Amino acid sequence: MSLVKSFFIALSNNTFLNEAAKSMGPSLGANKVVAGNTIEDVVNTIKRLNRKNIAVTVDNLGEFVNNKQDAIAAKDDILKVMDAIYQHNLDAHMSVKLSQLGAEFDKALAYDNIYEIVATAKSYNNMHINIDTEKYDSLFDITQTLDRLKSEFSNVGTVIQAYLYKGDVLIDKYPNLRLRLVKGAYKESPYIAYQTKEEIDENYIHLIEKRLLNAQNMTSIATHDHNIINHVKSFIETHDIDKSRVEFQMLYGFRSDLAESIANEGYNFTIYVPFGDDWFGYFMRRLAERPQNLTLAFKEFVKPKTLAILGLVGLTACLLPQTLSKKVKRKSTSQPNRLRCRTRL
């Protein structure tokens, strides 16, 4: 993993910065990739995308939930979004993280919350609920929860991360569920995950092809890589795969022209739309995936409301030697450390 990617992953996991960013609203360019912080914002975004024949999966952003009150509040917020989708008759569904519902401190509470969400979604014309994957440490809890839910509900699925060695096993385990296939956005050990882009891309294509040949439900292929998209289109045509069982997905704010072009070709297309106050961790992971997205942030740097959080980011950069030191080779341990942090605002 590159130094830049490691840096932004570290920022995304910083509780202090995530909390500080909440008071600002989407900033640092995040307003280009986060659809505001109110239900009205996200409803208007969905309507706009639906008019272009594009469906939406909504992520009510939230991280670092560590008490029952916040977990229940997150669940209630998700239910409010679902109700808005239903009342406005929108082409949209929800993507939900178990950690936001309390899984990291009370698994029973998290299950009760996700159960209520899935049951309510079923009453809303069988609205789909996608359980997002997170760090590898949470994978067992996610699959265990999914296994319990799928015995009663058909409107629930999850995500398969192609950088995990276990991706093959998970593809085989859930042929009847709606699955989203992604490359993966977290920093994981080489003992459990592929590390190079070439390895991840190769396994991603392998999993896509395997899934499309054997799936008995919708397969969502989430990528901005036009080479992989073109490969999948060719594979679908060559193997006469029913297009109604396949969709492409992209993140809100990225490659919009390509998304509309694919939708106009008659393929199912869904945009992953995040919204809410907890935008910082999400945006940092997007920068980690594609550092060139920094241009989104640079346009915001001169705005006064951004200056405070820039200071926090600079401070955090100074406080992450454990991350940086693994990437920097020093010529001699006897020489003084030449790495210095300078933050100028």
Side-chain angles (χ1 to χ4, degrees):
M1 179 175 290
S2 70
L3 177 61
V4 172
K5 184 170 185 177
S6 295
F7 176 70
F8 283 114
I9 289 292
L11 290 181
S12 75
N13 291 327
N14 187 284
T15 307
F16 177 71
L17 287 180
N18 275 272
E19 287 299 316
K22 287 182 182 180
S23 63
M24 299 180 61
S27 187
L28 296 174
N31 57 344
K32 303 296 191 300
V33 297
V34 175
N37 55 5
T38 69
I39 291 178
E40 182 180 5
D41 290 335
V42 78
V43 165
N44 289 335
T45 298
I46 297 170
K47 287 181 177 180
R48 176 170 54 81
L49 291 171
N50 282 177
R51 287 194 292 268
K52 298 178 179 180
N53 201 33
I54 293 175
V56 168
T57 182
V58 180
D59 176 12
N60 180 49
L61 293 170
E63 303 192 36
F64 306 106
V65 173
N66 54 22
N67 63 73
K68 182 176 181 179
Q69 181 179 356
D70 287 348
I72 292 175
K75 178 259 298 181
D76 289 341
D77 286 343
I78 291 167
L79 292 175
K80 290 175 184 176
V81 178
M82 290 165 51
D83 184 65
I85 291 171
Y86 180 70
Q87 295 300 330
H88 287 86
N89 194 30
L90 302 174
D91 186 2
H93 64 271
M94 295 299 298
S95 289
V96 179
K97 289 181 173 61
L98 291 184
S99 62
Q100 189 181 17
L101 302 177
E104 294 188 350
F105 64 92
D106 189 336
K107 291 179 174 56
L109 171 65
Y111 185 78
D112 289 344
N113 284 337
I114 190 64
Y115 185 94
E116 182 178 352
I117 289 169
V118 175
T120 302
K122 182 179 180 180
S123 72
Y124 289 163
N125 294 331
N126 212 37
M127 182 188 298
H128 181 65
I129 299 297
N130 184 83
I131 300 177
D132 278 354
T133 45
E134 304 181 60
K135 298 176 184 177
Y136 181 78
D137 291 345
S138 67
L139 183 59
F140 176 77
D141 290 337
I142 291 169
T143 55
Q144 188 178 54
T145 298
L146 188 61
D147 291 344
R148 292 177 66 185
L149 290 170
K150 73 183 181 67
S151 65
E152 186 174 349
F153 301 101
S154 62
N155 61 316
V156 63
T158 192
V159 181
I160 307 300
Q161 297 162 305
Y163 65 3
L164 295 181
Y165 301 144
K166 292 186 66 174
D168 247 316
V169 175
L170 295 172
I171 288 289
D172 291 338
K173 184 176 183 180
Y174 298 120
N176 298 315
L177 296 184
R178 179 173 178 172
L179 296 180
R180 179 195 300 154
L181 276 56
V182 303
K183 293 184 182 182
Y186 292 86
K187 180 180 180 180
E188 300 292 0
S189 162
Y191 295 106
I192 61 176
Y194 296 106
Q195 301 295 301
T196 69
K197 180 184 185 302
E198 291 74 21
E199 291 175 321
I200 295 170
D201 284 357
E202 182 179 357
N203 198 49
Y204 189 41
I205 291 173
H206 163 69
L207 294 181
I208 291 171
E209 293 180 349
K210 183 176 185 179
R211 168 73 181 182
L212 292 181
L213 291 175
N214 298 287
Q216 300 169 36
N217 204 328
M218 175 71 76
T219 300
S220 302
I221 300 164
T223 181
H224 304 105
D225 188 329
H226 60 274
N227 292 319
I228 290 179
I229 291 170
N230 290 335
H231 177 90
V232 172
K233 287 180 182 178
S234 177
F235 187 83
I236 289 171
E237 183 176 353
T238 299
H239 295 272
D240 196 26
I241 294 169
D242 187 350
K243 283 186 180 181
S244 68
R245 294 292 183 91
V246 185
E247 74 170 6
F248 291 100
Q249 286 194 9
M250 289 185 186
L251 299 172
Y252 178 66
F254 296 96
R255 307 206 72 175
S256 300
D257 290 343
L258 178 59
E260 293 177 24
S261 173
I262 295 171
N264 289 335
E265 292 175 17
Y267 290 96
N268 294 314
F269 205 98
T270 293
I271 296 290
Y272 185 99
V273 175
F275 86 106
D277 293 333
D278 263 325
W279 57 270
F280 186 81
Y282 172 84
F283 186 48
M284 290 302 106
R285 284 193 292 276
R286 301 293 76 78
L287 293 180
E289 290 174 336
R290 293 174 59 83
Q292 55 266 49
N293 294 334
L294 276 168
T295 55
L296 291 172
F298 289 160
K299 294 177 181 179
E300 297 286 317
F301 278 6
V302 296
K303 295 183 178 180
K305 71 176 184 177
T306 306
L307 296 180
I309 200 166
L310 285 176
L312 293 175
V313 170
L315 175 62
T316 302
C318 296
L319 297 177
L320 289 174
Q322 65 273 27
T323 300
L324 299 177
S325 62
K326 294 178 181 179
K327 302 295 180 178
V328 179
K329 293 183 179 180
R330 294 178 171 80
K331 295 181 179 180
S332 171
T333 56
S334 63
Q335 292 180 339
N337 184 1
R338 300 296 182 185
L339 183 63
R340 294 291 183 265
C341 181
R342 298 183 176 88
T343 303
R344 297 180 180 177
L345 297 180

